[in-house]
C-alpha cells in the first residue's frame, strides 16, 4: 500500500552574489512574464471569458495565435507557464467572487428558501452561472436540466438573474500585477549541475549558471524569486513528502497561543518563551528605521542595508519559531491538538509601542507552520470556538478574574497561569466536540 504524501515547499538559495548582467537578464524574463500575465488578466478576467478559462486550452490556443510571444521574444517554457499562472489567479478570483455572493445570498432576509436554493444552484453549476451572467438561455445536460426547470418553477428567474448579475459586478474585479520579482520555470528551462543551476535565457541555446548553497536536485516546476537588492535568488520547489506516523503520539493537548510566550499547554508547559522579546526587538528596530528613513527621504537614502538586516531578523525569528514548534511536538507527542481560532489584530488603543509590536506578531506564520508540521506528522489539529475562553474558569465554568498573568476563580477558588487556564478551556471544548477539524 502506498503511503500518504503531502506537498511541501523547499527553498534553495544562490551562493555568492549574482552578477549585475545576469540579474538584468533574469529581471527581463520576469518583466516579460508580468506582461503576459496582465495580458491574460485583461483579455480573460471578465464575464465574457468564463467559458474559456475551464480547462484553459482555448486561452492557450488564442494566446499562441496572438503574436505576443514573438513580440516579446520570450521562450515558450516561460510564456505558457505565465499564461497558466494567470489562469490560476483568475480561477481563484472567480472562486472568491462566488463565495462572497453565496454569503450575501445567505444573509439576504428578503429571499424565500426557494429563491435562495435557486441562486445557490446557479452559482454552483458553472454552465448555469456562465449563462446567467452572459444573458443566455440556460441549457444543462440530462437530469441537471430537469432539476433546474423544477427549481425555476417556484421562483421568478428574471428577478433573481438580475440580482445575481448585480452582486457579481460588485464583488468581482479584474486583476493586475505590478510585481516582476520572479517567474515559474518548467523542467525544460533549467538543469542542475556543477553544484548550481543552469537557467535558460531569452537568447537561443544560452543559459546562465548560478551556484547554489546546496547540491540538491529536483525535476519539477519551480519558482525563481529575484532578490536584486541582495544580489541573489531564491528557488521555491514543491516536493511530495511522506507523512510520518508515530505510535507513541497518543496525547490530547490543549494549546494557547500568546504574544510573549508562543505556546502554553493545558499542563502548563511553555514553549517559545523568548518570542515576545524577539518580536518587540524586531518591531522597535523597524519603527526606528522607518522614522530615520522618513526624516531623510528628501536625500534619497538607500534601503539596501535596511532590507538585508530586516530579512536577517525575520529569518532569525522564524527559525526560533520552527525550533520551538519542533520541540513542542517532540516533547508533548500529541495525537490531537486543540487550539482556539486566533484573534484578529486590534485597532486603536493608548499604548502605541505595544500596538505596533502586536501588529508585527507572527501569529499567522506560527499557525501556518504548526498546520504544516501536523500534516507531516499525522497529527490532528482541531480549532475550537474562542468566545470568552480566557475569562472562563476551566474547573467550574464560572467567570473568573485575570490580573498580571494570573487567573483566579471567585466561585471555586481555582488559580492558575492565565494561559494555562485558557489552554485547559480549549481542551475541554475540543473534547466536547465544540471544534472544527483542520488537519
Amino acid at each position: 500500500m502506498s503511503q500518504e504524501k503531502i506537498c511541501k515547499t523547499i527553498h534553495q538559495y544562490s551562493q555568492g552574489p549574482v552578477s549585475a548582467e545576469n540579474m538584468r537578464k533574469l529581471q527581463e524574463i520576469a518583466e516579460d512574464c508580468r506582461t503576459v500575465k496582465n495580458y491574460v488578466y485583461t483579455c480573460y478576467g471578465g464575464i465574457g471569458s468564463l467559458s474559456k478559462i475551464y480547462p484553459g486550452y482555448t486561452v492557450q490556443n488564442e494566446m499562441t495565435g496572438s503574436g505576443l510571444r514573438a513580440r516579446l521574444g520570450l521562450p515558450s517554457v516561460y510564456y505558457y507557464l505565465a499564461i497558466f499562472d494567470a489562469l490560476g489567479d483568475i480561477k481563484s478570483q472567480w472562486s472568491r467572487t462566488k463565495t462572497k455572493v453565496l454569503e450575501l445570498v445567505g444573509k439576504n432576509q428578503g429571499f424565500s428558501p426557494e429563491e435562495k436554493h435557486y441562486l445557490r444552484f446557479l452559482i454552483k453549476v458553472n454552465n448555469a452561472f456562465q449563462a446567467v451572467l452572459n444573458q443566455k438561455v440556460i441549457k444543462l445536460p440530462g437530469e441537471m436540466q430537469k432539476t433546474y426547470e423544477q427549481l425555476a418553477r417556484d421562483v421568478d428567474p428574471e428577478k433573481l438573474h438580475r440580482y445575481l448579475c448585480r452582486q457579481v459586478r460588485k464583488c468581482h474585479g479584474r486583476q493586475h500585477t505590478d510585481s516582476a520579482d520572479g517567474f515559474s520555470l518548467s523542467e525544460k528551462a533549467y538543469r542542475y549541475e556543477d553544484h548550481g543551476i543552469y537557467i535558460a535565457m531569452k537568447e537561443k541555446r544560452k543559459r546562465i549558471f548560478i551556484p547554489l548553497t546546496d547540491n540538491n536536485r529536483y525535476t519539477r516546476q519551480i519558482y525563481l524569486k529575484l532578490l536584486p537588492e541582495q544580489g541573489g535568488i531564491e528557488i521555491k520547489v514543491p516536493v511530495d513528502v511522506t507523512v510520518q506516523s508515530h505510535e507513541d503520539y497518543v496525547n490530547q493537548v490543549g494549546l494557547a497561543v500568546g504574544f510573549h510566550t508562543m505556546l502554553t499547554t493545558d499542563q502548563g508547559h511553555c514553549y517559545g518563551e523568548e518570542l515576545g522579546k524577539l518580536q518587540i526587538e524586531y518591531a522597535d528596530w523597524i519603527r526606528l528605521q522607518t522614522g530615520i528613513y522618513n526624516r531623510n527621504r528628501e536625500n534619497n537614502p538607500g534601503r539596501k542595508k535596511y532590507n538585508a538586516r530586516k530579512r536577517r531578523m525575520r529569518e532569525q525569528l522564524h527559525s526560533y519559531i520552527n525550533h520551538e514548534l519542533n520541540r513542542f511536538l517532540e516533547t508533548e507527542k500529541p495525537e490531537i491538538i486543540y487550539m482556539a481560532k486566533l484573534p484578529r489584530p486590534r485597532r486603536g488603543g493608548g499604548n502605541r509601542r505595544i500596538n505596533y509590536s502586536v501588529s508585527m506578531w507572527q501569529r499567522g506564520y506560527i499557525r501556518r507552520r504548526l498546520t504544516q508540521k501536523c500534516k507531516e506528522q499525522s497529527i490532528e489539529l482541531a480549532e475550537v470556538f474562542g468566545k470568552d475562553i480566557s475569562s472562563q474558569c476551566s474547573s467550574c465554568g464560572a467567570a473568573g478574574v485575570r490580573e498580571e498573568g494570573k487567573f483566579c476563580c471567585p466561585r471555586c477558588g481555582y488559580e492558575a497561569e492565565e494561559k494555562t487556564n485558557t489552554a485547559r478551556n480549549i481542551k475541554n471544548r475540543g473534547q466536547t466536540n465544540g471544534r472544527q477539524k483542520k488537519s
Side-chain angles (χ1 to χ4, degrees), residues 26 29 33 36 69 74-83 85 183-186 189-190 198-202 224:
L26 293 172
I29 294 175
C33 289
V36 173
R69 187 171 82 86
L74 190 64
S76 60
V77 289
Y78 300 124
Y79 183 73
Y80 290 108
L81 278 183
I83 292 171
D85 282 348
F183 53 90
S184 298
L185 300 88
S186 67
Y190 68 88
Y198 288 88
I199 300 173
M201 292 291 96
K202 293 179 69 172
L224 188 74

Side-chain angles (χ1 to χ4, degrees), residues 4-8 10 239-244 372 376:
E4 182 184 355
K5 294 188 175 183
I6 61 170
C7 186
K8 179 180 180 180
I10 302 296
V239 297
D240 295 324
V241 296
T242 302
V243 174
Q244 302 296 317
Q372 178 70 22
E376 294 172 6

Side-chain angles (χ1 to χ4, degrees), residues 43-59 62 87 90-91 94 98 126-131 133-134 136:
C43 295
Y44 302 100
I47 292 171
S49 299
L50 263 172
S51 60
K52 296 180 180 180
I53 65 174
Y54 298 100
Y57 297 116
T58 301
V59 175
E62 290 184 3
L87 277 177
I90 292 172
K91 292 175 182 178
W94 275 114
K98 289 182 177 181
N126 280 334
N127 291 345
F129 186 68
Q130 296 169 18
L133 296 185
N134 288 285
K136 295 181 179 179

Side-chain angles (χ1 to χ4, degrees), residues 243-289:
V243 174
Q244 302 296 317
S245 180
H246 305 276
E247 293 183 357
D248 57 338
Y249 279 36
V250 295
N251 299 319
Q252 296 191 18
V253 180
L255 198 63
V257 180
F259 177 82
H260 293 284
T261 298
M262 184 172 71
L263 305 177
T264 304
T265 72
D266 59 284
Q267 297 295 318
H269 304 157
C270 297
Y271 301 88
E273 294 173 282
E274 297 294 318
L275 180 65
K277 176 183 175 182
L278 293 173
Q279 289 183 136
I280 290 174
E281 289 177 355
Y282 179 53
D284 285 349
W285 181 82
I286 289 179
R287 186 178 63 253
L288 176 63
Q289 295 301 316

Side-chain angles (χ1 to χ4, degrees), residues 39 126 152 213 251 279 287 294 299 314 325 396 415:
Y39 188 96
N126 280 334
T213 55
N251 299 319
Q279 289 183 136
R287 186 178 63 253
N294 290 334
N299 298 325
R314 187 172 60 248
L325 288 175
C396 69
E415 294 183 2

Side-chain angles (χ1 to χ4, degrees), residues 106-220:
K107 294 177 181 178
N108 194 317
Q109 297 180 356
F111 288 142
S112 66
E114 291 78 15
E115 288 173 324
K116 290 184 178 182
H117 190 187
Y118 179 79
L119 285 169
R120 292 187 182 113
F121 178 87
L122 294 181
I123 295 170
K124 293 180 179 180
V125 178
N126 280 334
N127 291 345
F129 186 68
Q130 296 169 18
V132 170
L133 296 185
N134 288 285
Q135 299 181 0
K136 295 181 179 179
V137 177
I138 298 177
K139 294 182 179 179
L140 304 174
E143 293 296 323
M144 193 79 71
Q145 181 68 24
K146 294 181 180 179
T147 302
Y148 164 72
E149 292 173 353
Q150 182 178 356
L151 293 175
R153 283 196 295 267
D154 300 328
V155 298
D156 181 354
E158 186 176 350
K159 181 190 79 170
L160 297 179
H161 291 182
R162 289 197 302 269
Y163 170 85
L164 183 58
C165 290
R166 285 198 308 272
Q167 299 308 319
V168 169
R169 285 195 299 269
K170 291 178 182 178
C171 299
H172 192 73
R174 297 279 183 111
Q175 292 173 292
H176 179 86
T177 179
D178 294 320
S179 175
D181 60 353
F183 53 90
S184 298
L185 300 88
S186 67
E187 187 182 348
K188 294 180 180 180
Y190 68 88
R191 181 180 75 252
Y192 283 101
E193 203 169 297
D194 303 327
H195 203 75
I197 187 170
Y198 288 88
I199 300 173
M201 292 291 96
K202 293 179 69 172
E203 300 89 344
K204 289 185 178 180
R205 302 183 183 278
K206 295 288 185 179
R207 293 182 181 237
I208 65 169
F209 174 71
I210 299 178
L212 300 176
T213 55
D214 62 66
N215 201 30
N216 297 331
R217 302 184 179 193
Y218 305 97
T219 55
R220 55 181 58 217

